[in-house]
Amino acid sequence: MPLIPEYQAMMDQLKEVGAPPIQDMAVAEVRAMYKVSQPVYEDLSVFLIKQSEISGPAGPIPVRIYVPSAAGPHPMIFLYHGGGWVIGDLDTADSEARELCVGTNALVISVDYRLAPENQFPAAVDDSFAVLKQANQLAQQFNGDPERIAVAGDSAGGNLAAVMAQMARDQNGPAICFQLLVYPVTDGTNLERNSYHEMANGYLLTRDAMVWFWDHYCPEEDRGNPLASPLLADNFSNLPPALVMTAKYDPLCDEGEEYAERLSSAGTSVEHKHYEGYMHGFFSHTPMIPSIRESMEDACSALRRVFKS
């Protein structure tokens, strides 16, 4: 199946403009470009949005809390934004956070973890887990239900969500009831899978860009650490149920599929949704491209089922 028409039009426009590839740009330039492309989604109203901070290993970690209008206590979704651990922030994740809050009636805690290259691995992991460990405190503050906690993220955020599920299992909680992994990065040691070559160029995320992200995020000698590459974990048992979402036109497709297979082989309940005409980034594009709403509806439906909401 070819790219959906809206994505083909987008790629044609980008080709006409002739924007330089990510790997040829300075980090500050890529961050600014990404911020413009992922604006705050004010058209989708949320009952209450609150800025807060959580104490972390290197200082306060900004979080943005999205509170639904439904009566609580609310299930809780800890959301980790994409952007290769180098770009992205609370604003670029705003559309996903709003969609998940409204679509599931859950409390969404969006986490502004430290970025590389200023703060390399494991800074993002440490910040992400520091916030997750404060689940009880956040539940008390915002009428959340600490018995219904999900972790979620796309791309690098999917990597962090998968790592959070493993860490919570291994470090006595908090108990996670679901993991939403959207085109997750799962293995920094092998960028030679078929999808890395077949989708190396011509789409929003390229193989060279992923090399650039990994080089900024994590030294090669540390990429075999499961906290950087969760696919390399020794133990996949006793992990929470998962929805793993992948796109055909995405270099990360194969490693996302492999992660789903590894979870399933270990006895974890996992659903793998593969979207044929989509490319990397689709989860944040629903405000711009209505025809890909299916993916957000699939995610919200899976979360509602596990939350029983």
Side-chain angles (χ1 to χ4, degrees), residues 66-113:
Y66 296 76
V67 184
S69 59
H74 313 292
M76 304 170 71
I77 301 171
F78 286 79
L79 177 65
Y80 305 98
H81 68 77
W85 314 277
V86 176
I87 61 178
D89 56 22
L90 297 177
D91 285 347
T92 62
D94 180 75
S95 69
E96 297 169 38
R98 288 176 187 253
E99 293 265 25
L100 290 172
C101 179
V102 172
T104 66
N105 284 320
L107 192 70
V108 176
I109 301 96
S110 186
V111 182
D112 200 12
Y113 54 85

Side-chain angles (χ1 to χ4, degrees), residues 213-268:
F213 284 125
W214 271 111
D215 286 347
H216 281 83
Y217 176 55
C218 186
E220 278 197 56
E221 61 268 23
D222 292 333
R223 293 180 196 174
N225 187 327
L227 299 183
S229 299
L231 185 64
L232 304 185
D234 292 329
N235 181 10
F236 280 82
S237 63
N238 300 314
L239 287 169
L243 170 59
V244 180
M245 308 172 91
T246 57
K248 178 178 179 179
Y249 297 96
D250 182 359
L252 304 181
C253 179
D254 287 354
E255 66 192 86
E257 182 177 356
E258 283 183 41
Y259 199 78
E261 290 171 353
R262 196 70 58 85
L263 289 170
S264 180
S265 295
T268 295

Side-chain angles (χ1 to χ4, degrees), residues 42-146:
E42 292 181 344
D43 288 350
L44 181 59
S45 179
V46 171
F47 176 68
L48 176 67
I49 299 176
K50 185 85 171 175
Q51 297 289 141
S52 189
E53 289 184 336
I54 298 293
S55 59
I61 304 165
V63 295
R64 187 175 292 168
I65 316 294
Y66 296 76
V67 184
S69 59
H74 313 292
M76 304 170 71
I77 301 171
F78 286 79
L79 177 65
Y80 305 98
H81 68 77
W85 314 277
V86 176
I87 61 178
D89 56 22
L90 297 177
D91 285 347
T92 62
D94 180 75
S95 69
E96 297 169 38
R98 288 176 187 253
E99 293 265 25
L100 290 172
C101 179
V102 172
T104 66
N105 284 320
L107 192 70
V108 176
I109 301 96
S110 186
V111 182
D112 200 12
Y113 54 85
R114 284 173 291 162
L115 297 178
E118 297 89 343
N119 300 280
Q120 288 194 317
F121 171 82
V125 172
D126 292 342
D127 285 0
S128 298
F129 197 56
V131 175
L132 183 62
K133 287 193 295 185
Q134 296 299 312
N136 282 329
Q137 174 188 323
L138 288 162
Q140 291 172 3
Q141 282 182 269
F142 298 99
N143 196 20
D145 181 356

